[in-house]
Amino acid sequence: MRVYLDNNATTIVDPHVFEDMVPYFCQMYGNPNSLHQFGSESHPALRKAMDQLYTGINARDEDDIVVTSCATESINWVIKGIYFDKIVNGDKNHIIVSEVEHPAVISACKFLEGLGVNVTYLPVNSDGVVEVHTLRDFITDKTALVSIMWANNETGMIFPIEEIGAICKEKGVLFHTDGVQAVGKIPVDVQKANVDFMSFSAHKFHGPKGVGGLYIRAGLTLSPLFHGGEHMGGRRSGTLNVPGIVGMGKAMELAVENLDFEKNNVMRLRNKLEDAIELIPETIIIGTKEQRVPNTILVSVKGIEGEAMLWDLNKNGIAASTGSACASEALESNPVMEAIGAEADLAHTALRLSLSRFTTEEEIDFTIEVLKNAVTRLRAISSTYAYAPEWHVSKL
Amino acid sequence: MRVYLDNNATTIVDPHVFEDMVPYFCQMYGNPNSLHQFGSESHPALRKAMDQLYTGINARDEDDIVVTSCATESINWVIKGIYFDKIVNGDKNHIIVSEVEHPAVISACKFLEGLGVNVTYLPVNSDGVVEVHTLRDFITDKTALVSIMWANNETGMIFPIEEIGAICKEKGVLFHTDGVQAVGKIPVDVQKANVDFMSFSAHKFHGPKGVGGLYIRAGLTLSPLFHGGEHMGGRRSGTLNVPGIVGMGKAMELAVENLDFEKNNVMRLRNKLEDAIELIPETIIIGTKEQRVPNTILVSVKGIEGEAMLWDLNKNGIAASTGSACASEALESNPVMEAIGAEADLAHTALRLSLSRFTTEEEIDFTIEVLKNAVTRLRAISSTYAYAPEWHVSKL
């Protein structure tokens, strides 16, 4: 049996999504910006996709969505656009992000620090979530942007986005949220949350890789990251990725249709797996079930290196992760675990299991058995487990 | 009959390319940066694609290629990366480009001008090509980058890239070339041409939309446009677009295999069409056949607005263009025509016909008939043609 439990890294393209994309590779392949029929014949599908996108996140209309190549582009666009618009060509010099943001946010901010920008990395509590009062304390009249994720990629914890949005609005500070792990898992309403910008990526909700989007609230301008022709109203140049856009639109529609399924069925399977893990001694799961997106578990299994666990699971056909795939090749300890105060030894024991609507009960039952056996086997041969000091996490 | 003669705007995905992409949507969908089998099972195909890419342009090895989402990204990356590396964090303050570069280059440079960077827009001769001696005159010790295209998107004219590369090397100035319209049409050898950076886009050579690349000569560094995880050696973050990369690799392989076919068969059909156009009175084709890529004709048909011609052709199922699709919705006059000194009236009469290896002789014969009839019909009802002054182009 092969079991894919790494849906926070990427997801299978829903076959219905792929089906909708197919005609735009070898049949309706024209450039939609061309004036002829080969160009215009994809317009109805593009319009439909833009409708699916803006409806899915409750933007005002399709003009509030700009298609990009992925959330990493969207995030870099917001952070660097704000840098040019509000810092170089303005009087601001400060950005606030949480310390558990995705590497795209953190790394873009580190780059801006090298250019003299002040960046505040907001601490998180023991659940890995920003506490709203800390944000308020750090906003000054020099703050150009607050960027805080909607849900964390590693823990699945949902952040208080509506409250953060309200504070930013009250203080007159622009607010970007990385919505990558929220879209398709929980209801996302950009207007209700007072979001100015939101990044998302199709391949995290059963759309294709290589396409994403940025919500930009009506009335806001943002210097392009891709200068060039007049695509997307002059905001993002480059020939439109027609099959990608059509696929992302369909994926968004299906994701929204399946939100109840996520909340009920995916969460039920996730909780079944989680309950089984909690019965294994000396495991800690970050955050309560209720505060998390329905599909994610981040667990620390004392005495077992995350990589050793992955290897055992992988031998049995089960795909999991020690954290963000964007950093996984580096074999570093889990940065979110570190941020919430776990000691390095513990941060190396992180295991992330992330389900999707394609996960079956049979797969979860199989995973529970494999996981239990793996823990027994690995702890028996683990030097760190046998001689580990008393369980201690400074903030947990 | 439907005839697609707008291949400089975008191309049909070769069915063999699409076939190679298919397994990576719904079957081998893992994130290649993940440590499990779902992630690693796409590695052989990715390695093959990177080999196909570097071989196709004669880069040293696959480390010299970074996959991006399109040439517009690659171009913006080079220009803005150089801005940060050599201007903000260096002592340079000058960029040289030709005045007929793609809008991505021109628009990115206009943006940098707003930040205080000096940009020289090199003039072109009556064939729309940069003359090498003019470049030499403009390079100073403040010049950070020269960016000149390998072949022009509108005229198809091939630029003296090897000579330009040699001058830049001699002067110690970095050299970027927009290779979008050269790759797949003529042999491209980045090492022989002394190129430091070259941008390309898969969808211009029968690969998929939404994926492109940047050649970076070994030993050069460039601040990322997409900061984030550690993809592509830390140079370009974002989850790898596996089907896109696989498709671009295959498209490159097929393009290189078909270079002789381009040079012989595509050029023969192009020349047949061109010869027929030259028999129509008062038409001017920019540049000689020999100096152009094999597939392109840019013609001015006196007295006929380009859009009127497009409309007539389109009614008959033929797709053409008045110039870059990236600017076509604006209905502006052709900027390359203007750059070579054509008066505005004439620049509005531009018609671009661009073939591909999928163009058939039957399609060309049909196009010749339709075009001749269209010219007769449109000139008969054209006010500008009936009352036009003597043919006059200042530099033609």
Side-chain angles (χ1 to χ4, degrees), chain A residues 4 7 10-15 205-207 356 358, chain B residues 25-27 29:
Chain A
Y4 186 71
N7 286 283
T10 193
T11 59
I12 187 172
V13 175
D14 189 305
F205 53 90
H206 304 293
S356 83
F358 291 90
Chain B
F25 290 100
C26 305
Q27 295 153 53
Y29 54 81

Side-chain angles (χ1 to χ4, degrees), chain A residues 136-153:
Chain A
R136 194 184 284 276
D137 296 342
F138 283 107
I139 295 177
T140 74
D141 58 1
K142 288 289 184 190
T143 307
L145 179 72
V146 169
S147 182
I148 295 177
M149 61 203 337
W150 201 302
N152 185 266
N153 46 316

Side-chain angles (χ1 to χ4, degrees), chain B residues 137-340:
Chain B
D137 297 343
F138 284 107
I139 294 177
T140 74
D141 58 359
K142 287 290 184 189
T143 307
L145 179 72
V146 170
S147 182
I148 295 178
M149 61 203 337
W150 201 303
N152 185 265
N153 48 314
E154 315 214 1
T155 62
M157 290 295 285
I158 300 166
F159 283 51
I161 290 304
E162 284 186 34
E163 291 169 73
I164 294 169
I167 291 174
C168 291
K169 192 178 179 186
E170 173 202 325
K171 298 271 192 178
V173 173
L174 291 170
F175 175 38
H176 167 250
T177 185
D178 166 2
V180 168
Q181 299 291 346
V183 173
K185 292 178 182 139
I186 54 173
V188 163
D189 182 330
V190 288
Q191 294 189 83
K192 192 173 167 202
N194 284 310
V195 166
D196 293 309
F197 306 101
M198 184 182 78
S199 299
F200 56 95
S201 214
H203 76 97
K204 304 285 189 182
F205 52 92
H206 304 293
K209 294 176 177 66
V211 62
L214 182 66
Y215 164 76
I216 303 180
R217 188 167 59 74
L220 293 177
T221 57
L222 189 67
S223 275
L225 190 68
F226 288 18
H227 284 89
E230 290 148 15
H231 312 90
M232 292 267 152
R235 295 178 292 183
R236 197 272 188 185
S237 298
T239 298
L240 298 186
N241 175 1
V242 181
I245 296 169
V246 168
M248 180 161 66
K250 181 68 173 180
M252 179 68 88
E253 183 184 83
L254 293 173
V256 172
E257 280 175 16
N258 279 287
L259 279 176
D260 280 344
F261 189 88
E262 286 282 327
K263 192 179 169 184
N264 298 314
N265 304 50
V266 176
M267 191 187 277
R268 188 182 67 76
L269 291 182
R270 191 272 311 264
N271 291 353
K272 184 177 190 181
L273 176 57
E274 186 161 336
D275 292 344
I277 291 171
E278 284 182 323
L279 291 176
I280 301 172
E282 295 182 294
T283 56
I284 288 189
I285 291 169
I286 310 300
T288 65
K289 291 188 180 85
E290 296 69 32
Q291 286 179 285
R292 266 180 279 140
V293 292
N295 78 319
T296 308
I297 300 168
L298 184 67
V299 57
S300 161
V301 184
K302 188 189 172 190
I304 300 180
E305 289 274 328
E307 278 77 27
M309 178 65 85
L310 286 196
W311 184 247
D312 248 44
L313 294 177
N314 188 48
K315 271 193 306 184
N316 288 282
I318 301 169
S321 158
T322 56
S324 168
C326 300
S328 66
E329 285 185 339
L331 296 183
E332 289 165 356
S333 65
N334 185 295
V336 176
M337 289 283 231
E338 291 195 349
I340 63 179

Side-chain angles (χ1 to χ4, degrees), chain A residues 2 6 10 12-13 18 25-26 29 33 36-37 41 69 76 80 209 225 227 230 240 314 320 326 328, chain B residues 2 6 10 12-13 25-26 29 33 36-37 41 76 80 111 209 225 227 230 240 314 320 326 328:
Chain A
R2 292 205 343 141
D6 199 10
T10 193
I12 187 172
V13 175
F18 180 62
F25 290 99
C26 306
Y29 55 82
N33 283 60
H36 45 67
Q37 197 188 68
E41 64 193 356
S69 65
N76 274 271
K80 293 170 186 175
K209 294 176 177 66
L225 189 68
H227 284 90
E230 290 148 14
L240 298 186
N314 187 48
C326 300
S328 65
Chain B
R2 292 206 342 142
D6 199 10
T10 194
I12 187 172
V13 175
F25 290 100
C26 305
Y29 54 81
N33 282 60
H36 45 66
Q37 197 188 67
E41 65 193 355
N76 275 270
K80 293 169 187 175
F111 176 69
K209 294 176 177 66
L225 190 68
H227 284 89
E230 290 148 15
L240 298 186
N314 188 48
C326 300
S328 66

Side-chain angles (χ1 to χ4, degrees), chain A residues 298-335:
Chain A
L298 184 67
V299 57
S300 161
V301 185
K302 188 189 171 189
I304 301 180
E305 289 275 328
E307 278 78 26
M309 177 64 87
L310 286 197
W311 185 246
D312 248 44
L313 295 177
N314 187 48
K315 272 194 304 184
N316 288 282
I318 300 169
S321 157
T322 57
S324 168
C326 300
S328 65
E329 286 184 339
L331 297 182
E332 289 165 357
S333 64
N334 185 296

